[in-house]
Amino acid sequence: MNTLENRVAVITGGTKGIGKGIARVFAAKGARVVISGRSVAEGEACATELSQAGGSVVFIRADVTKREDLETLADAAAKMYGGIDILCANAGVFPACKLDDMTEADWNHVFDVNLKGMYFSVKACLPWLKKSAAGRIVLTSSITGPITGFPGWSHYGATKAGMLGFMRTAAIELAKFGVTVNAVLPGNIATEGLDGLGADYMRSMASSVPLKRLGTVDEIGYAAAFLASGEASFINGHALVVDGGQILPESLQALESA
Ligand code: NAP
């Protein structure tokens, strides 16, 4: 079930956090995985670690804010393996900044990485995804923006909701090529990026999840692998929440009285 045997997958932001979890799960399911990010040292270390665990994983450096980097990444991946079947547009940033302090540069930075970076990634991989027998695009959105709000993340939430707006039209446009476009909406997942928000934040987020813990990166990997698999062939334009039930309680009381 759920095999990705010999499917070629490009994962942006695949060098750590959720992207690394997606890469590990895809590689374990037999995919030939190409991960990208900006840090060469972290990217090469990640590819080595996942390859030593038995997967086929290579690193190619690419900054998603640079269109040429994505074109080079897609060309190199396709040359290496004869095509691209799956794109996971996952690279993203979440620097917290409240509206009172937010500058145009803060806003642009988050939009450039999260939204324009996703668009560049899709555009660069699209010629090969269209040639694939079953092209798949899996976007990493978030519960923050499409469903919930959190002070400090108005710009971030706007990008993550924007990804779903993009998805719904792209899913219609690309269906005629057999390419599906879906999204995972993670809740709070223990990653290097989230670590940066501090132990107090991590503890309080874990307590707001009915399952009373943060998610793991592999748990997002399993969801992405399903959406990328043959078994998900009739799922198109879907937003899959993976959050341990975090969005469910109507109030603090609903959570605490269970
Ligand atoms: P992370 O641990 O900080 O990892 C981010 C990844 O993206 C790294 O591989 C990083 O590599 C790459 N990246 C960042 N900026 C980039 C750029 N300009 N070009 C190319 N790659 C770039 O973050 P994470 O927590 O795993 O988050 C990954 C995705 O999940 C994001 O889209 C985020 O919005 C989403 N998400 C996360 C959570 C959560 O709880 N962690 C929840 C919901 C959604 P380099 O730094 O080397 O470039």
Side-chain angles (χ1 to χ4, degrees):
M1 280 294 280
N2 236 303
T3 179
L4 296 177
E5 202 65 43
N6 291 327
R7 304 264 287 152
V8 180
V10 171
I11 303 170
T12 68
T15 61
K16 58 185 176 192
I18 287 175
K20 184 176 176 181
I22 297 173
R24 180 171 30 242
V25 170
F26 277 36
K29 289 178 179 289
R32 287 175 286 180
V33 177
V34 179
I35 55 171
S36 74
R38 291 162 306 166
S39 163
V40 174
E42 279 181 343
E44 285 178 348
C46 176
T48 303
E49 180 193 325
L50 298 182
S51 300
Q52 281 170 353
S56 165
V57 182
V58 297
F59 167 73
I60 298 174
R61 190 194 176 280
D63 180 337
V64 294
T65 65
K66 299 194 163 67
R67 189 169 40 81
E68 324 79 67
D69 279 15
L70 272 312
E71 288 166 358
T72 306
L73 166 68
D75 284 355
K79 236 179 231 129
M80 208 176 294
Y81 294 120
I84 299 172
D85 302 299
I86 303 163
L87 165 68
C88 294
N90 166 80
V93 290
F94 35 91
C97 183
K98 289 197 178 156
L99 272 176
D100 272 346
D101 303 319
M102 194 179 290
T103 63
E104 188 177 348
D106 294 327
W107 177 270
N108 286 343
H109 170 56
V110 173
F111 269 71
D112 280 352
V113 179
N114 295 4
L115 214 41
K116 205 200 267 185
M118 170 206 65
Y119 159 71
F120 284 159
S121 307
V122 170
K123 280 286 278 185
C125 292
L126 200 49
W128 286 281
L129 292 169
K130 283 159 65 175
K131 284 185 194 146
S132 167
R136 297 274 187 274
I137 297 173
V138 181
L139 310 175
T140 306
S141 173
S142 175
I143 58 168
T144 310
I147 300 174
T148 63
F150 201 112
W153 280 301
S154 58
H155 51 357
Y156 175 77
T159 64
K160 293 293 160 177
M163 291 176 84
L164 298 190
F166 170 89
M167 172 187 78
R168 294 190 178 103
T169 290
I172 299 172
E173 286 187 22
L174 302 182
K176 61 175 173 287
F177 304 109
V179 177
T180 65
V181 191
N182 292 290
V184 285
L185 277 60
N188 279 260
I189 309 302
T191 65
E192 291 87 335
L194 209 72
D195 268 348
L197 301 173
D200 281 351
Y201 175 86
M202 303 280 272
R203 250 192 309 278
S204 95
M205 292 322 292
S207 70
S208 72
V209 179
L211 286 176
K212 296 296 171 206
R213 64 171 178 86
L214 301 182
T216 68
V217 294
D218 286 12
E219 286 173 318
I220 303 303
Y222 299 134
F226 170 62
L227 292 173
S229 72
E231 284 83 355
S233 47
F234 207 53
I235 300 177
N236 196 17
H238 184 73
L240 179 58
V241 174
V242 188
D243 73 340
Q246 187 175 345
I247 61 168
L248 299 177
E250 288 182 12
S251 67
L252 210 50
Q253 197 197 357
L255 188 64
E256 288 170 352
S257 63

